[in-house]
Amino acid sequence: MAESTPEKFDSNVAHPGTDSLAESIAIMARLRAPNGCPWDREQTFDSIKRHTLEETYEVFDAIERRAWPDLKDELGDLLLQVLFYAQMASEAGYFSIEDVASNLNAKLIRRHPHIFAGAEATDSNAVLRNWEQIKQNEKKASAHSQSSMLDDIPRSMPAVMEAAKLGSRAAKVGFDWPDADGLFGKLQEEIGELKSELLPSSEHSSAAAIEGELGDILFTAVNLARHLKVDPESALRATNAKFRRRFAAMESAAGGADALAASTPSQLDLLWNQAKDTANEPTGA
């Protein structure tokens, strides 16, 4: 079959939001101009990056709360981060916001050959296989050399997310447990090794060794989540939210934080069990 020509788009065709986005870009440039906002002009890539992480988690929070008006605002704040970086990069001569959009457009078309180039993908699994193969081809063609296939996973991302990425990437070459059962066994093995480090008879036990064994448990748990097709970050965030609800119910039942702090361990256990029964829990919590 002859190779299909990728579908082209008319860049002159107006799309919803084009004018608003152009205005946002212009406002960002004005804020960074010589006579612009002193705070915005002082910012650098390093000073802004922490805000990017905060805004990303605020987007997560709005989605989990199903707070759609809040999500609209949070997505705007996240878009601001993109505009900020692109404006600073443009000032330094690295690239422009147009380059960012052009690169994204090309990537979306390149990685969706079943839409734009006549390739076949009958289900989402086929789409993901094509996507991963295209990514691998792109890496091989890149001038940037890597000593490891893990090198492009950022070390600065949250540890749970990094662990999930590392396990998933290693699994692509077959370095993985065949099923979840093996991971349950591995988890018990790692728990046993941590308990051994905590024994009074352990001669070489140290804070570093205990930390290492606990890290192994967490890493194994993240890989177990992957096999169970559960996002570990979302799972832990849901448990954190559940703990908040139940602890707030404990405080309320006790008569406030001071009364809670004065409670005995047995009273705290009783309050916790009551909170589990009475806290407003979503289905399945």
Side-chain angles (χ1 to χ4, degrees):
M1 183 176 70
E3 183 177 351
S4 300
T5 302
E7 184 177 326
K8 301 293 184 181
F9 290 99
D10 184 354
S11 60
N12 294 318
V13 175
H15 295 280
T18 301
D19 292 342
S20 296
L21 185 56
E23 183 179 10
S24 297
I25 294 170
I27 291 171
M28 188 72 252
R30 174 72 178 83
L31 293 174
R32 290 277 300 179
N35 60 341
C37 171
W39 185 89
D40 289 284
R41 283 178 46 75
E42 290 175 358
Q43 301 314 303
T44 66
F45 289 100
D46 289 324
S47 69
I48 288 294
K49 64 186 181 183
R50 67 181 179 88
H51 298 294
T52 307
L53 189 59
E54 292 171 6
E55 298 299 351
T56 300
Y57 277 106
E58 288 176 7
V59 168
F60 279 27
D61 179 63
I63 292 171
E64 289 173 352
R65 291 186 289 110
R66 296 299 189 260
W68 307 126
D70 290 352
L71 178 60
K72 177 183 66 176
D73 290 340
E74 299 302 345
L75 287 174
D77 291 343
L78 190 58
L79 175 60
L80 172 61
Q81 305 301 304
V82 175
L83 297 178
F84 221 134
Y85 289 127
Q87 178 60 34
M88 290 189 291
S90 178
E91 294 164 5
Y94 300 149
F95 55 81
S96 68
I97 187 66
E98 289 79 10
D99 295 328
V100 173
S102 178
N103 186 69
L104 173 61
N105 294 343
K107 181 185 293 184
L108 288 173
I109 292 172
R110 187 171 63 248
R111 294 189 180 179
H112 290 82
H114 55 291
I115 302 297
F116 302 109
E120 292 187 5
T122 57
D123 55 35
S124 59
N125 288 331
V127 172
L128 290 175
R129 285 194 298 271
N130 286 344
W131 182 282
E132 290 299 330
Q133 184 58 55
I134 293 167
K135 281 179 64 176
Q136 291 302 317
N137 292 341
E138 290 170 353
K139 289 176 183 176
K140 291 177 182 177
S142 173
H144 174 67
S145 61
Q146 293 180 310
S147 59
S148 169
M149 62 183 290
L150 304 179
D151 284 351
D152 64 337
I153 298 175
R155 291 171 172 80
S156 57
M157 65 170 44
V160 170
M161 189 182 301
E162 182 188 8
K165 291 274 189 183
L166 291 170
S168 178
R169 185 68 59 81
K172 294 184 187 306
V173 296
F175 188 66
D176 195 16
W177 289 267
D179 52 43
D181 287 342
L183 275 157
F184 280 112
K186 182 63 175 176
L187 191 57
Q188 292 302 318
E189 175 188 326
E190 298 295 354
I191 291 172
E193 291 179 4
L194 175 60
K195 287 181 175 180
S196 295
E197 289 293 340
L198 297 174
L199 290 175
S201 59
S202 180
E203 298 179 0
H204 305 291
S205 181
S206 66
I210 292 170
E211 178 182 315
E213 296 299 345
L214 184 58
D216 290 345
I217 291 172
L218 296 173
F219 188 84
T220 304
V222 170
N223 278 280
L224 176 59
R226 175 170 54 82
H227 272 266
L228 298 177
K229 302 188 184 305
V230 171
D231 174 44
E233 180 72 17
S234 296
L236 185 55
R237 285 174 63 83
T239 294
N240 291 344
K242 179 169 60 178
F243 184 85
R244 286 176 182 268
R245 290 190 300 270
R246 292 179 177 177
F247 193 83
M250 287 176 65
E251 288 181 293
S252 178
D258 290 342
L260 192 67
S263 300
T264 65
S266 60
Q267 289 172 327
L268 290 173
D269 284 342
L270 179 60
L271 287 167
W272 176 257
N273 288 326
Q274 290 174 342
K276 288 173 64 177
D277 295 332
T278 61
N280 184 20
E281 303 287 8
T283 302

